[in-house]
Structure formats: C-alpha cells, structure tokens
Amino acid sequence: MNKVILMGRLTRDPEIRYSQGEQSTAVARYTLAVDRRFRRDGDQQTADFIGCVAFGRQGEFAEKYLRKGIKIAVVGRIQTGSYTNRDGQKVYTTDVVVEEQEFAESKASGESNGGFVPADRPSPSVAAGDGFMNIPDGIDEELPFN
C-alpha cells in the first residue's frame, strides 16, 4: 500500500501549468513544510520540505485557493522518478501525488498566521461568547425550530 497523509504550510504559491493537447489538464506543484515531532541532537532543521504535485481538479483547486502560508492536509501517494539533466547527470525525484487536499485551519487562524483566504469565499458569521450565531434584532420571521 502506498498512502501518505501530510499536514503543513505551503512554502510559496503553487506553480501551475497546463498540459498540451485538446483536453489540457492543470498540474500544480507546491512544497509543504511539515513540522517534525522530535529534534535530534545537533539537527537544527525543525521541518521537512516535501514536494507535492496535483493533477486535474486538484490542480485547479490549488490554483484557485492555495497560497503561501496556508496550512493544508494532503492525502496522496509517493511517486519516484528520474531524468537526465542538461549536464548529463541522472537526477532522482520523489513527490507526493495529491489525491485529496483540504484546509487545515480556520479563516481567522490563517489570517493571524499570514495565510491567504480567497475573497470569493463567504465569511463565517460572528459568534457570540457562547458559540452561537448572533441573530439581528427586528427579524419578524419565526425560527424553524422550537
């Protein structure tokens, strides 16, 4: 079984390209900074930087909604590959092919962490201290519950 689940922040805006041909497909590439649980002695690095690639609808979602700093959860699979660079050296690659991706924090948390929230998304209603939505005065309609 080849299954990967990650949660981290985008290190930069996704790079989007479209495939050639009659039915072009969106291909989004981005890097997630995933915090490490433990720190080894002498190791200054506290996160791993993992390359992700999303195709089709997932790529379109990344293009529209994902920006640098946003915290997301990703489900996918590891894919390895190789190519020969211009200098004739063989380069090995490892990427996570994204099957699912979703936001991993609220809009308010994202804004306080410098994340991006799309302008076309509705903002959540302001909640009172008890966790319920404030209902404005002057509503003449009956509420749909007792």
Side-chain angles (χ1 to χ4, degrees):
M1 180 185 297
N2 182 355
K3 187 160 191 140
V4 176
I5 302 171
L6 301 170
M7 186 179 301
R9 294 191 182 278
L10 272 73
T11 61
R12 63 181 188 277
D13 289 353
E15 178 183 308
I16 312 298
R17 295 191 178 159
Y18 284 85
S19 65
Q20 301 291 329
E22 288 181 30
Q23 294 184 356
S24 62
T25 302
V27 180
R29 290 189 172 276
Y30 54 85
T31 302
L32 277 185
V34 178
D35 289 332
R36 291 183 176 174
R37 267 195 169 169
F38 304 103
R39 181 184 280 187
R40 293 184 183 164
D41 292 335
D43 190 4
Q44 298 300 320
Q45 188 171 349
T46 61
D48 291 302
F49 298 90
I50 300 170
C52 298
V53 61
F55 297 97
R57 294 189 69 119
Q58 296 295 337
E60 292 169 7
F61 177 88
E63 178 180 29
K64 191 171 182 180
Y65 296 110
L66 301 186
R67 297 290 178 263
K68 177 181 177 179
I70 286 182
K71 188 175 189 177
I72 63 169
V74 169
V75 176
R77 60 185 168 80
I78 291 184
Q79 180 172 295
T80 59
S82 65
Y83 64 93
T84 304
N85 68 10
R86 294 179 185 173
D87 299 331
Q89 297 174 324
K90 193 160 194 163
V91 177
Y92 294 94
T93 62
T94 303
D95 289 311
V96 172
V97 177
V98 176
E99 295 168 355
E100 301 173 40
Q101 57 193 351
E102 61 186 62
F103 298 106
E105 66 185 357
S106 69
K107 179 180 177 180
S109 295
E111 288 174 345
S112 68
N113 290 320
F116 170 83
V117 177
D120 61 344
R121 295 194 72 167
S123 61
S125 300
V126 178
D130 58 3
F132 291 97
M133 182 176 88
N134 290 325
I135 298 175
D137 293 333
I139 294 182
D140 295 337
E141 300 176 39
E142 245 182 72
L143 295 176
F145 50 87
N146 294 333

